[in-house]
Amino acid sequence: MKVMNDVPSLYVASATERSIGKTALCLGLALLFKEHGLKVGYFKPLGWHTETKEGKPIDSDTVLMKETLRLEEPLDTLTPVLLEYHYLDQYSPEDSKDLLDKISRAYEEVSANKDIVVVEALHEPCLGASLNLSAAKLAKTFSSQILLLSSTHQDRAVDEILSESACISREGSKCCGAIFSRVRDHIERRIKERMVPTLERYGIHVWGVIPESTVLTAPTVKEIVGVLGGEVLCGEDYLSNQVEHYLVGAMTHEAAIRYFRRAKRKAVVTGGDRPDIALAALETDTSAVILTGNLYPNVRVLAKAEEKGVPVILVPYDTYTTVNKVRDVTGRITVGDVKRINEAKRIVSEHVQWKGLLEALGIKI
């Protein structure tokens, strides 16, 4: 089914399974496009059933985009197909035509009267191939150009981007370039001096190298509590504190003070039977104290934490289990999270050649 609306669209996909930051990029681009007078649509043809609202499965990224961009279309139009973890139990290759028709009708509605549509892939371009609904195939249906995002900062990222670009071309779609995201200071120079020129030689333009932003990546105490299922003993007004480091306290009070001073905006994990460690943490830049083993702390700890504005969280796990549960938690942009929404817009504005991207799509502002 050929989409009739001749609206430029940018299809943002991850270059690898490990790549992170796709939704933040889509949001930042869409906000900038809208700010400069363009009528912007958003579409995620395949989504994940990440949560349930009013008895209906929804994709949380789609909810974020709908609310932030103030889109009129209903959620099931913005994301017409929601996949479960075992999606081959939901659909088979025989369903492909019906699913494509459903997606195409939804895209027609989303793109109507728009200047540009930002299309977000489920993840890397190959996902959905078993249903004949890979990003490369869908991009051809929408006449979209695919932008690849990589947060892999090793040399293999070049090969991964080239491989995905070749796959996109074989499907008859076009890769308009790539962006590197979450780049740490120590690797930025190598990406710009080695990896970018190599990709350019193969005709892959790199539109931006986005540095890591702890505003986006560092989880809040509230997000950590959600993962641990812990009890907030005090400091409920400070659950928006962000956590950039995790430190384990299992030493003397004097050694703990020196140790804790090394890191700012940290969560300190220790036993509830170690009030000396908790109090030492509270004398330094600490975002939260996590007490393990369901051991309630000394009242002095809670009083000091209240004074400092530091949440104290009680969890049933041992220290090792607790650290393993939280170490890979990253921040997520959610509806109404003004700080992170503004940060997504800022980093795209400052580190992505977004006006050049528009020109590549045939749009001048």
Side-chain angles (χ1 to χ4, degrees):
M1 182 176 180
K2 182 68 175 177
V3 173
M4 297 179 65
N5 288 338
D6 187 20
V7 177
S9 62
L10 184 66
Y11 207 135
V12 180
S14 300
T16 71
E17 184 181 359
R18 297 174 299 280
S19 296
I20 302 169
K22 179 168 49 64
T23 300
L25 175 60
C26 288
L27 181 60
L29 287 171
L31 288 171
L32 287 167
F33 296 163
K34 187 176 180 181
E35 185 179 83
H36 284 74
L38 296 177
K39 295 178 182 177
V40 182
Y42 169 80
F43 192 57
K44 190 174 184 181
L46 299 178
W48 282 123
H49 175 187
T50 54
E51 55 184 293
T52 301
K53 184 177 182 181
E54 297 177 356
K56 294 182 179 180
I58 59 173
D59 178 289
S60 55
D61 292 338
T62 308
V63 175
L64 168 68
M65 299 297 283
K66 175 178 170 60
E67 296 299 325
T68 306
L69 299 177
R70 298 181 181 179
L71 301 172
E72 295 179 355
E73 297 85 4
L75 290 172
D76 55 4
T77 298
L78 296 172
T79 301
V81 177
L82 280 176
L83 300 180
E84 307 282 351
Y85 182 77
H86 294 292
Y87 56 85
L88 291 181
D89 293 339
Q90 282 179 275
Y91 303 110
S92 71
E94 287 73 27
D95 299 314
S96 297
K97 184 179 183 303
D98 289 341
L99 291 174
L100 180 59
D101 287 346
K102 182 179 183 180
I103 289 170
S104 298
R105 287 193 301 271
Y107 184 80
E108 282 275 1
E109 184 176 339
V110 166
S111 60
N113 302 313
K114 300 296 194 305
D115 296 315
I116 185 171
V117 178
V118 176
V119 183
E120 183 175 0
L122 189 60
H123 217 293
E124 61 269 36
C126 67
L127 268 179
S130 58
L131 301 172
N132 212 28
L133 298 173
S134 66
K137 284 185 177 293
L138 290 176
K140 184 177 181 181
T141 301
F142 309 148
S143 299
S144 295
Q145 295 191 41
I146 296 181
L147 176 65
L148 293 172
L149 177 74
S150 176
S151 55
T152 300
H153 306 140
Q154 299 165 338
D155 290 3
R156 69 183 184 198
V158 172
D159 298 320
E160 290 167 344
I161 291 170
L162 291 174
S163 176
E164 289 293 352
S165 177
C167 175
I168 291 165
S169 295
R170 285 195 298 272
E171 294 291 351
S173 297
K174 180 179 179 181
C175 174
C176 66
I179 287 176
F180 286 95
S181 70
R182 297 197 175 185
V183 176
R184 295 185 177 178
D185 292 342
H186 71 278
I187 199 68
E188 181 179 0
R189 182 176 176 181
R190 179 168 183 80
I191 288 177
K192 290 181 175 179
E193 293 183 358
R194 294 291 187 206
M195 299 164 73
V196 170
T198 302
L199 286 168
E200 298 277 359
R201 285 192 206 103
Y202 284 94
I204 305 294
H205 184 67
V206 177
W207 295 99
V209 177
I210 302 174
E212 182 176 45
S213 166
T214 54
V215 173
L216 293 178
T217 60
T220 62
V221 177
K222 182 177 181 179
E223 288 168 330
I224 292 170
V225 171
V227 170
L228 293 175
E231 179 185 355
V232 181
L233 300 182
C234 69
E236 290 190 357
D237 292 338
Y238 302 95
L239 295 179
S240 61
N241 290 354
Q242 288 192 287
V243 176
E244 296 180 18
H245 307 279
Y246 299 96
L247 298 183
V248 174
M251 65 285 286
T252 65
H253 181 271
E254 292 74 18
I257 289 283
R258 294 193 299 271
Y259 177 51
F260 293 153
R261 282 177 177 158
R262 297 177 186 175
K264 297 180 178 181
R265 293 177 289 279
K266 61 187 172 291
V268 172
V269 182
T270 191
D273 57 348
R274 292 297 308 270
D276 55 330
I277 298 296
L279 290 169
L282 292 168
E283 292 180 35
T284 65
D285 187 342
T286 298
S287 296
V289 174
I290 302 173
L291 302 178
T292 60
N294 261 348
L295 297 171
Y296 277 79
N298 186 295
V299 291
R300 289 185 300 140
V301 172
L302 296 180
K304 191 70 171 179
E306 286 280 13
E307 176 189 328
K308 294 287 187 176
V310 176
V312 175
I313 314 302
L314 185 68
V315 299
Y317 316 108
D318 59 35
T319 299
Y320 177 79
T321 303
T322 300
V323 172
N324 274 342
K325 281 179 172 288
V326 298
R327 65 181 179 182
D328 293 326
V329 178
T330 58
R332 288 186 62 86
I333 308 175
T334 55
V335 175
D337 189 343
V338 176
K339 184 177 180 180
R340 284 179 176 154
I341 290 170
N342 287 339
E343 178 69 358
K345 179 182 170 185
R346 183 194 70 80
I347 61 173
V348 172
S349 176
E350 294 181 6
H351 300 284
V352 175
Q353 303 165 40
W354 59 274
K355 290 183 180 178
L357 261 175
L358 285 177
E359 289 181 8
L361 296 171
I363 300 173
K364 292 186 178 181
I365 56 173

